[in-house]
Amino acid sequence: MSIVCRFAPSPNGNLHLGHAYSALVNHAAAREAAGTFLLRIEDIDATRSRPDFIRAIADDLDWLGILPPAPPRLQSAHFSAYAAALAHLEREGLLYPAFETRGEIARAVLAKEADGQSWPRDPDGAPLSPFPREAMPDSARRRRREAGEPYALRLDMARACTLVGETLTWREAIGGPLQPPQIITAEPARWGDVVLARKEVPASYHVAVVVDDAVQAISHVIRGQDLYAATAVHRLLQTLLGLPEPIYHHHRLVRDGDGRKLSKSTGAASLAALRAAGASRAQVLELVARNLA
Ligand code: GLU
């Protein structure tokens, strides 16, 4: 099997040490196996992506000495591929437009919890929607969507799991990306009726990532532990869409000095800022190694 790995950042901020680690682990795995290392720009959400961040990603990888020679795949250039995947799911009756806003969902869940009810949360901690598909006929949903109301296209998780029928699993290379994988049971139902598109965002991360991993023939999906639980959704979509199953390796995360996960929102030092402050490549590698969780 020829090994193909990818680094798939979202261009909504500058890369930080956590991204550098992820890119380096991917690059090292591809090099060790004489395989291919690819770059994918996950700019599906045009409301948050910016071209200057795309340029900065290439500059950072170049500086790290691992910029792939092949041009990156830009998700924004492949909307029709994601639309085709969504149309397939829609034909199977697995999607429905939901009109409740995030605020309405949060308030309805708060009200339940204030009543002493416990309400399920997805593995990322977000409450599942308390508005089931059955609460509104599909014909009314269709009318509201056609009338131009903002909506989220949700996967009917119960129906999707019934259609798949079998217990889903994935192969996780635990000791390192190229180690023989172990079988993990996937539990997509924990995510509830996940959002797969919105009126203003034509496909969610979950849809785009499984389509792209298939199109780019990714053999090994190497990414951070924070995406471990999402793999269950990815396996479900791969099965529903008839896409191949890569091997997964979820690597450790880089923490900041206080042990928190690095993220753009917590203002983690960017590679660009470290570079501007005169840090060498060796110093960046040393910082990554020191802060691995
Ligand atoms: N675009 C995602 C991120 O920046 C990574 C997706 C993936 O590797 O599957 O967190």
Side-chain angles (χ1 to χ4, degrees):
M1 172 175 66
S2 86
I3 305 284
V4 185
C5 308
R6 88 298 196 276
F7 174 54
S10 309
N12 52 19
N14 280 311
L15 299 188
H16 52 62
L17 292 176
H19 294 107
Y21 180 61
S22 201
L24 288 160
V25 174
N26 271 286
H27 178 262
R31 197 185 41 194
E32 187 183 330
T36 309
F37 170 58
L38 299 175
L39 175 61
R40 176 195 309 154
I41 301 293
E42 300 214 323
D43 60 347
I44 192 90
D45 185 349
T47 62
R48 299 179 66 212
S49 301
R50 289 197 353 219
D52 49 327
F53 289 133
I54 300 180
R55 278 190 298 275
I57 288 167
D59 288 348
D60 287 339
L61 294 183
D62 197 23
W63 183 74
L64 286 168
I66 59 172
L67 180 65
R73 176 177 170 92
L74 258 67
Q75 289 188 331
S76 56
H78 297 279
F79 286 140
S80 58
Y82 314 130
L86 287 164
H88 178 102
L89 298 174
E90 195 136 37
R91 277 196 302 278
E92 302 273 359
L94 296 176
L95 301 184
Y96 66 95
F99 303 93
E100 295 80 18
T101 62
R102 290 184 182 97
E104 281 164 351
I105 292 172
R107 280 192 295 279
V109 169
L110 270 179
K112 283 181 186 295
E113 290 177 338
D115 262 5
Q117 272 188 57
S118 76
W119 190 255
R121 284 166 193 271
D122 73 20
D124 281 349
L128 302 193
S129 171
F131 301 99
R133 180 177 191 175
E134 306 74 59
M136 193 191 296
D138 279 354
S139 53
R141 292 184 187 276
R142 207 170 317 115
R143 264 198 310 278
R144 287 179 67 172
R145 183 179 177 182
E146 282 164 11
E149 271 191 58
Y151 62 87
L153 217 45
R154 288 183 178 273
L155 179 71
D156 185 331
M157 183 57 80
R159 212 183 270 196
C161 290
T162 306
L163 189 66
V164 166
E166 66 207 66
T167 303
L168 284 174
T169 57
W170 82 81
R171 294 174 298 164
E172 176 80 17
I174 291 178
L178 301 176
Q179 294 299 308
Q182 297 183 26
I183 303 295
I184 308 289
T185 301
E187 297 177 282
R190 291 174 66 203
W191 290 93
D193 289 359
V194 273
V195 173
L196 295 189
R198 293 186 186 276
K199 188 181 176 200
E200 72 283 9
V201 180
S204 72
Y205 157 66
H206 297 306
V207 172
V209 80
V210 296
V211 168
D212 287 352
D213 286 337
V215 170
Q216 292 189 292
I218 302 300
S219 65
H220 287 65
V221 171
I222 300 170
R223 59 188 180 190
Q225 272 291 344
D226 50 338
L227 291 167
Y228 186 87
T231 309
V233 176
H234 302 167
R235 287 293 300 122
L236 176 62
L237 292 176
Q238 284 159 355
T239 309
L240 292 167
L241 296 167
L243 301 175
E245 177 191 354
I247 291 174
Y248 289 86
H249 171 74
H250 292 91
H251 58 66
R252 292 187 292 167
L253 299 176
V254 180
R255 305 277 170 184
D256 68 10
D258 300 326
R260 288 174 311 180
K261 178 190 151 188
L262 291 182
S263 77
K264 290 159 190 161
S265 53
T266 58
S270 67
L271 294 179
L274 290 167
R275 236 167 45 219
S280 66
R281 184 172 178 272
Q283 282 168 326
V284 165
L285 300 187
E286 144 78 28
L287 264 178
V288 168
R290 194 159 2 112
N291 290 297
L292 275 177

